[in-house]
Amino acid sequence: MALRALKFASLTAAASGIYLYGNKFLDPNDFGVVRVGRAIATIKELFLSFEDTPLGAASLAQVHKAVLQDGRTVAVKIQHPKVQAQSSKDILLMEVLLLVVKQIFPDFEFMWLVEEAKKNLPMELDFLNEGRNAEKVAHMLKNFDFLKVPRIYWELSTRRVLLMEFMEGGQVNDRAYMERNGINVNEISRNLGKLYSEMIFVNGFVHCDPHPGNVLVKKCPASGKAYIILLDHGLYQVLSESFRMDYCRLWQALIKADMKRVQKYSRRLGAGDLYPLFACMLTARSWESVNRGIDQSPVSASEDMEIRSNAAAYLPQITQLLNNVPRQMLLLLKTNDLLRGIESALHTRASASSFLNMSRCCIRAVSTYQRNKSHSLYRRAQISLAEALSLWQINLYELFLWLKGSQLGNWVIALLRRMHHFTY
């Protein structure tokens, strides 16, 4: 539902200057010379080869495959020449259009779109900032050996040209590609959930553009291991500690179907009396499913249809909610919707493992926060023990689910039933 409400932004972008040249391929020869790092050189001097046809082109930039003089294969991200000069005009035009819409439809509040564009667009246009984000998230998630983030070649990068390690693979929502290449779809979905749970709940530093073109998968022929490749690090959201803790506790309440705490933490995050709608937007589940427990049953076709129809019916309330929640929430809602779209394409949506991973990260995040706030060694020990017990319970439950779904588990259950039968 949140994604549908946010799609209004695309209408304003379509009327802006960005759209006019957004889909037109940029000829690298238009540059004549390219300033890279501290050097100014022609493309022929910098590269042994440079593919004129871009691997991908978007409104702000496009990416080309090239080979450096020393033989390294790189991806070259080049910003469109007019973007810097045009961006301020685009934002002004967006602001005027939204003011007009507000005059026609007073109940619809979209001015936050302008605020977000003013904040995020300059960061996205600074490719050095994108490079720093890439290095930060690679270091932050270095314990996940299935994650690959392209290395940045700083000596050859500027604010408008970014050179990075070339990586390729299939898009993360391409189930057919994974099946052809022997990649476990459930494992990929589970690992992607782990990455984002770690970013959101534990670190509060979130890659907010996980559309399928920015998340690739590839299987290493030598090891047989499947990797997730995370691209395009221009748009990140930094979460404040207080917001992150409230968000952790809200998701814990949603997973446990603790409606009192769902109401409490939804209100703390700005939802007010619209907390049932807020819970439905976060989970993409009906209020009935939220009350029953979102991990109790997968999304049915009828429930999905109900959510789609209600999105239009509740658009004024959704607009009000988006205007009231903290700005940090807006990109998280967009990110949640993109991740949910990937899960839907892979047919792994609402799996028990995704909720277990979220629970682990929430427990770790809250426990770390409590330990940092406590000055008592005894209290810290209590928190650590409670954390260990909670994580152990999750591991035990995960083992139960694995046994329940495995052949070995079926044999164990059959054996226990037979022993029970002989006993009586």
Side-chain angles (χ1 to χ4, degrees):
M1 288 190 288
L3 187 61
R4 286 186 174 81
L6 292 171
K7 278 183 179 176
F8 182 82
S10 64
L11 298 178
T12 59
S16 70
I18 288 178
Y19 183 84
L20 297 178
Y21 48 81
N23 294 323
K24 182 181 177 182
F25 288 167
L26 177 70
D27 184 353
N29 294 318
D30 288 346
F31 281 96
V33 295
V34 179
R35 178 180 290 276
V36 181
R38 295 183 178 179
I40 298 179
T42 66
I43 287 179
K44 290 182 179 179
E45 290 172 335
L46 283 169
F47 305 103
L48 283 175
S49 65
F50 190 102
E51 294 187 5
D52 290 346
T53 302
L55 299 170
S59 57
L60 302 182
Q62 60 192 52
V63 180
H64 295 260
K65 183 179 179 181
V67 179
L68 294 172
Q69 293 291 345
D70 60 11
R72 289 177 293 177
T73 303
V74 295
V76 186
K77 184 172 183 178
I78 304 173
Q79 193 174 116
H80 295 313
K82 300 178 183 178
V83 167
Q84 290 279 359
Q86 188 69 36
S87 60
S88 57
K89 298 176 184 177
D90 291 324
I91 292 173
L92 177 61
L93 180 56
M94 181 190 296
E95 189 168 8
V96 170
L97 288 173
L98 289 172
L99 286 171
V100 171
V101 171
K102 183 173 173 57
Q103 291 297 318
I104 300 172
F105 304 104
D107 292 337
F108 289 83
E109 293 281 354
F110 283 104
M111 293 312 297
W112 51 266
L113 280 172
V114 179
E115 297 168 17
E116 288 300 293
K118 287 179 178 178
K119 181 186 75 173
N120 293 324
L121 190 55
M123 291 189 291
E124 289 191 80
L125 291 175
D126 183 358
F127 289 175
L128 295 179
N129 178 66
E130 178 176 343
R132 288 190 291 270
N133 288 341
E135 287 197 342
K136 181 175 179 177
V137 81
H139 177 74
M140 190 177 78
L141 303 176
K142 62 183 178 182
N143 292 331
F144 293 111
D145 60 357
F146 56 81
L147 174 65
K148 297 288 185 184
V149 176
R151 175 186 172 191
I152 305 299
Y153 298 119
W154 290 108
E155 72 278 10
L156 298 171
S157 297
T158 69
R159 288 171 61 92
R160 292 188 55 236
V161 179
L162 186 66
L163 268 73
M164 66 201 106
E165 179 184 3
F166 177 76
M167 291 185 174
E168 59 185 341
Q171 292 192 356
V172 72
N173 66 339
D174 191 343
R175 187 183 178 97
Y177 169 86
M178 295 189 207
E179 291 172 349
R180 285 196 310 270
N181 288 275
I183 297 173
N184 188 315
V185 173
N186 290 317
E187 180 185 1
I188 291 296
S189 181
R190 185 166 57 250
N191 286 343
L192 186 62
K194 286 180 181 179
L195 290 177
Y196 270 86
S197 291
E198 192 80 14
M199 281 192 273
I200 293 169
F201 300 115
V202 178
N203 294 288
F205 185 67
V206 190
H207 181 291
C208 288
D209 198 15
H211 71 73
N214 289 339
V215 186
L216 307 181
V217 293
K218 188 174 184 180
K219 187 173 184 178
C220 176
S223 65
K225 186 176 182 63
Y227 294 98
I228 292 175
I229 302 168
L230 199 57
L231 305 175
D232 197 345
H233 299 269
L235 186 60
Y236 272 74
Q237 179 66 65
V238 178
L239 308 180
S240 69
E241 187 176 62
S242 60
F243 175 92
R244 185 166 56 87
M245 287 301 103
D246 286 340
Y247 195 62
C248 280
R249 289 173 171 131
L250 173 57
W251 268 105
Q252 286 180 309
L254 287 167
I255 292 169
K256 294 177 181 177
D258 184 342
M259 290 300 106
K260 287 185 178 179
R261 287 170 65 86
V262 167
Q263 180 178 352
K264 174 183 176 180
Y265 289 107
S266 294
R267 288 183 180 276
R268 287 183 62 161
L269 289 168
D273 292 336
L274 294 174
Y275 71 90
L277 177 62
F278 185 51
C280 294
M281 287 170 62
L282 280 178
T283 60
R285 302 297 300 268
S286 66
W287 182 238
E288 180 184 351
S289 294
V290 171
N291 276 274
R292 188 170 58 245
I294 54 177
D295 62 339
Q296 296 301 308
S297 60
V299 183
S300 64
S302 59
E303 183 182 1
D304 193 49
M305 184 61 67
E306 177 189 347
I307 293 167
R308 291 174 185 273
S309 60
N310 284 343
Y314 287 97
L315 188 56
Q317 290 86 350
I318 293 172
T319 305
Q320 180 186 344
L321 192 55
L322 293 175
N323 195 51
N324 291 341
V325 295
R327 293 294 169 257
Q328 300 168 75
M329 182 63 71
L330 299 176
L331 283 178
L332 282 191
L333 288 169
K334 172 198 170 187
T335 303
N336 284 345
D337 281 327
L338 289 171
L339 293 172
R340 202 167 287 123
I342 292 170
E343 289 180 342
S344 295
L346 298 180
H347 308 300
T348 59
R349 186 175 168 190
S351 64
S353 63
S354 65
F355 294 121
L356 291 176
N357 289 326
M358 289 175 66
S359 295
R360 282 193 185 95
C361 287
C362 288
I363 289 167
R364 286 170 49 217
V366 172
S367 298
T368 301
Y369 172 78
Q370 290 174 337
R371 273 194 299 270
N372 291 339
K373 294 296 181 181
S374 176
H375 299 291
S376 165
L377 289 176
Y378 176 71
R379 176 59 183 150
R380 289 179 184 175
Q382 279 186 317
I383 293 167
S384 296
L385 179 59
E387 177 188 11
L389 287 173
S390 297
L391 293 174
W392 180 79
Q393 288 176 330
I394 291 175
N395 291 337
L396 193 63
Y397 182 60
E398 190 172 41
L399 177 61
F400 166 74
L401 292 177
W402 178 79
L403 285 172
K404 186 179 177 181
S406 68
Q407 187 64 43
L408 176 62
N410 292 332
W411 289 344
V412 171
I413 292 170
L415 178 61
L416 290 173
R417 285 176 177 170
R418 186 170 298 179
M419 290 173 64
H420 178 77
H421 175 73
F422 286 143
T423 303
Y424 293 94

